[in-house]
Amino acid sequence: MKQFLLLIIFCIIAMSAAAQREETILSNMHFSGIWGSWNSMIGKVKDENVYFRGGYGGFEFGKDLLLGWGGYRSNGNIRQDDLRYHMKWNGPVVSYAPKSYKAVHPIFTLMVANGKLDPDTEPYDRIFVVQPSLGAELNLLHWCHASVHGGYRFVNDVDLGNYTDTDFSGLYGELVLKFGISWGRW
């Protein structure tokens, strides 16, 4: 009985020692920085190229993942037919930059947001926006990164007269300047 008890204790110690070396997906997801950005986007709205400005702020986890909140708005009026309006949206942002320690690396960003189309002559219309993008990020300094993105803006729930979701959805290109601080080891 004594040998059996020693065998069980040895097995428990051996399993706990092996568990200490096991890697898990979330084990490296520790809080590692704070970042904010200034974003400048050109995208199609129906037949017009429209300039949008915006940005986001968020917390960095494990050097590669950023979770935050951001928003965009049209710069000036968008004119379609006889309708002039502003477009804006904001919501959570998830950004993943694998191998972010390299001077140039890919970056994937997703924003899911609520927004509104605000015509000059009518009440505003609530919309839902999903905006994925793929880009390349350049680490200029430890506290300043620049990136170029391309993506597609999906707009849903448009209810403005002759306009549909596809009139406001479309491809876009974006320039991003990101400022912040990241600590710890790469």
Side-chain angles (χ1 to χ4, degrees):
M1 183 67 172
K2 191 174 181 182
Q3 290 174 338
F4 181 71
L5 186 59
L6 287 172
L7 180 63
I8 290 176
I9 291 173
F10 177 74
C11 288
I12 291 172
I13 291 171
M15 288 187 334
S16 67
Q20 297 299 321
R21 288 179 286 185
E22 180 181 3
E23 290 185 13
T24 61
I25 293 172
L26 299 177
S27 66
N28 292 329
M29 290 295 141
H30 56 279
F31 178 56
S32 59
I34 299 172
W35 291 89
S37 76
W38 174 80
N39 300 19
S40 181
M41 176 195 312
I42 295 285
K44 280 277 195 195
V45 174
K46 202 164 182 175
D47 298 324
E48 183 180 351
N49 286 324
V50 177
Y51 172 69
F52 295 95
R53 57 186 162 84
Y56 61 83
F59 301 102
E60 176 187 79
F61 295 92
K63 300 290 187 188
D64 297 336
L65 181 67
L66 183 122
L67 302 175
W69 192 270
Y72 292 88
R73 71 180 311 131
S74 59
N75 193 35
N77 285 328
I78 301 171
R79 292 176 178 83
Q80 292 292 324
D81 304 327
D82 293 333
L83 184 65
R84 293 178 354 160
Y85 56 90
H86 295 278
M87 183 176 173
K88 59 183 167 182
W89 63 95
N90 64 60
V93 176
V94 177
S95 183
Y96 178 64
K99 299 186 180 187
S100 62
Y101 61 88
K102 292 190 171 196
V104 179
H105 54 272
I107 185 167
F108 307 94
T109 304
L110 175 66
M111 177 183 236
V112 178
N114 286 314
K116 64 183 181 178
L117 296 169
D118 195 2
D120 289 345
T121 58
E122 301 174 24
Y124 67 85
D125 181 29
R126 291 259 176 220
I127 58 173
F128 180 72
V129 179
V130 176
Q131 184 172 285
S133 72
L134 170 63
E137 187 172 62
L138 175 64
N139 296 345
L140 299 173
L141 300 166
H142 288 293
W143 52 270
C144 179
H145 298 180
S147 58
V148 176
H149 296 252
Y152 194 87
R153 183 181 58 258
F154 296 94
V155 178
N156 290 316
D157 299 333
V158 172
D159 188 22
L160 282 178
N162 298 330
Y163 298 97
T164 65
D165 295 348
T166 57
D167 292 329
F168 296 93
S169 299
L171 294 170
Y172 69 89
E174 180 176 36
L175 297 174
V176 177
L177 278 177
K178 191 165 75 170
F179 302 95
I181 185 167
S182 187
W183 51 80
R185 300 180 67 180
W186 289 96

